[in-house]
Amino acid sequence: SYTDYDLVIVGSGFFGLTIAERVATELDKRVLVLERRSHLGGNAYSEREPETGIEVHRYGAHLFHTSNARVWEYCNRFTAFTGYQHRVFAKVADQVYAFPMNLALINQFFGKSHSPTEARALIAEQAGEIDTKDAKNLEEKGISLVGRPLYEAFVKGYTAKQWQTDPTQLDASIISRLPVRYTFDNRYFNDTFEGLPVDGYTAWLTRMADHPNIEVRTDVDYFDVRDEIPAGTPTVYTGPLDAYFGNSEGALSWRTLDFEQEVLDDCGDFQGTTVVNYNDEEVPYTRILEFRHFHPERDYPTDKTVIVREFSRFAEPGDEPYYPVNTPDDRAKLLRYRELARKETANANVLFGGRLGTYKYLDMHMAIGSALSMFDNRIAPYFTDGKALAGTESAED
Ligand code: FAD
Ligand code: UDP
């Protein structure tokens, strides 16, 4: 039955579970979480590969990092973190470079040592054709940051494979995720806090849901049971925004990934590190993940390893939507969906959140941070002071 709950949450990823945990713990209300998949946790879910015991992130490598002290403190209530620091290597032609763009990469690529000042001058000269503040899309932003030769070697082919969309149609913010440094620092993230959950993502996610006020039902698609939920039941929807409205404004474009997992029985170490990007356009996959290296502190078998090749393509109906593509055409549709979402919040008490529900490229810490804000600004005032769920500003800001 669907009548005994104060709040229904659609989706058991970090967004949904953060709301569930807060409402159950802070407000002592009863929460029902509906999850379409056969397990909780959303895309951060991980499991041990049965032959080797190596923890594999089933929906792609998940690295936790944040500079938000509140989010970090919140996460540490449910898990301890290892000292893992993410580093990525990039394979171009027959060389492997320490990524992201840094002094070692610049020196290796140009076959000559440069001081930080010399490297800055070199890149400034190569990037001079476009001013960063005038860059309107991913291609212009990329060239303005690193210059054309590095853009063509490290960004163009990878981005073509990852997005299969003309880089002039992609948002400049996508590339702003990648730092450019004139030091030998090749840490992937600039954040204050970083690490991996000591006993895995699934243990962390399971502990968030472990409360007598929370019930998680897996293998349930919200759209199959929506009619059984009493009208007006406060609901937090974290599935795809377009799907909620039956694609009435046209489907938004999403990218999906195919993961090809392989257990190597005769090799204890395939690539010596967690992630190697394959930047050449001719190689069909974007990157290879080797999961043993995420947890060097664990006692994994030394004669076997698990690798996953990642392929990217447009999501078709029935595929898992992973990345919002967010072309100008998508942004026009998105405005219309946001208007529908606003009305749905006001009329039917449904809030929209998370990566799919807002069509935003959210990292885990951003999904958690945004759920904590939704709890503070919308959900707690609704239950404690009888305020409208719609609040005063739009649900997706
Ligand atoms: P999700 O985790 O996607 O959860 C949404 C849930 O809703 C899913 O379980 C889905 O099955 C369920 N659902 C959807 N529709 C329905 C329905 N109709 N009925 C019932 N259930 C439904 N973040 C980082 O911080 N670091 C990383 O390194 C990182 N790497 C990533 C790599 C990949 C390949 C991807 C795709 C994401 C990555 N992320 C990373 C982002 C991270 O996965 C998200 O920030 C996080 O999962 C967001 O949580 P969420 O709850 O919004 O969404
Ligand atoms: N990117 C690139 N070359 C790389 C890695 C990333 O050009 O070797 C670009 C690409 O457009 C990608 C974006 O930078 O989509 C963000 O990269 P990130 O590694 O943050 O992507 P994610 O891990 O979310 O897939």
Side-chain angles (χ1 to χ4, degrees), residues 178-217:
L178 289 182
V180 182
R181 301 200 191 96
Y182 295 94
T183 66
F184 287 100
D185 176 5
N186 71 324
R187 278 184 70 174
Y188 206 62
F189 303 116
N190 281 325
D191 282 319
T192 316
F193 310 106
E194 181 176 355
L196 291 172
V198 166
D199 49 4
Y201 279 99
T202 297
W204 170 9
L205 290 151
T206 304
R207 281 194 287 266
M208 289 180 77
D210 181 18
H211 191 286
N213 287 341
I214 302 177
E215 181 182 336
V216 180
R217 289 190 201 161

Side-chain angles (χ1 to χ4, degrees), residues 61 63 86 88-91 99 101 138 151 153-160 162-163 170 173-178 188-189 257 277-279 286-287 310 323 355 361 363:
L63 295 316
H86 196 41
V88 174
F89 293 80
K91 203 164 155 96
F99 209 61
M101 314 282 179
L138 190 151
Y151 173 81
F154 293 95
V155 178
K156 197 174 171 213
Y158 189 94
T159 301
Q162 169 80 0
W163 298 97
L170 290 170
S173 66
I174 292 176
I175 197 77
S176 315
R177 292 167 57 86
L178 289 182
Y188 206 62
F189 303 116
L257 299 172
N277 288 355
Y278 283 73
N279 298 57
T286 50
R287 50 190 172 192
E310 204 174 297
Y323 293 93
R355 178 149 157 149
Y361 197 150
D363 282 326

Side-chain angles (χ1 to χ4, degrees), residues 201-255:
Y201 279 99
T202 297
W204 170 9
L205 290 151
T206 304
R207 281 194 287 266
M208 289 180 77
D210 181 18
H211 191 286
N213 287 341
I214 302 177
E215 181 182 336
V216 180
R217 289 190 201 161
T218 52
D219 295 302
V220 179
D221 190 317
Y222 171 65
F223 298 120
D224 294 340
V225 302
R226 175 151 61 166
D227 295 344
E228 298 168 48
I229 301 171
T233 303
T235 300
V236 174
Y237 173 84
T238 73
L241 180 60
D242 49 357
Y244 183 92
F245 296 102
N247 293 336
S248 66
E249 307 307 302
L252 294 165
S253 37
W254 302 89
R255 300 207 51 75

Side-chain angles (χ1 to χ4, degrees), residues 102-115 119 184:
N102 69 87
L103 210 45
L105 180 147
I106 292 169
N107 288 344
Q108 187 181 349
F109 186 78
F110 293 103
K112 178 177 173 300
S113 79
H114 297 78
S115 69
F184 287 100

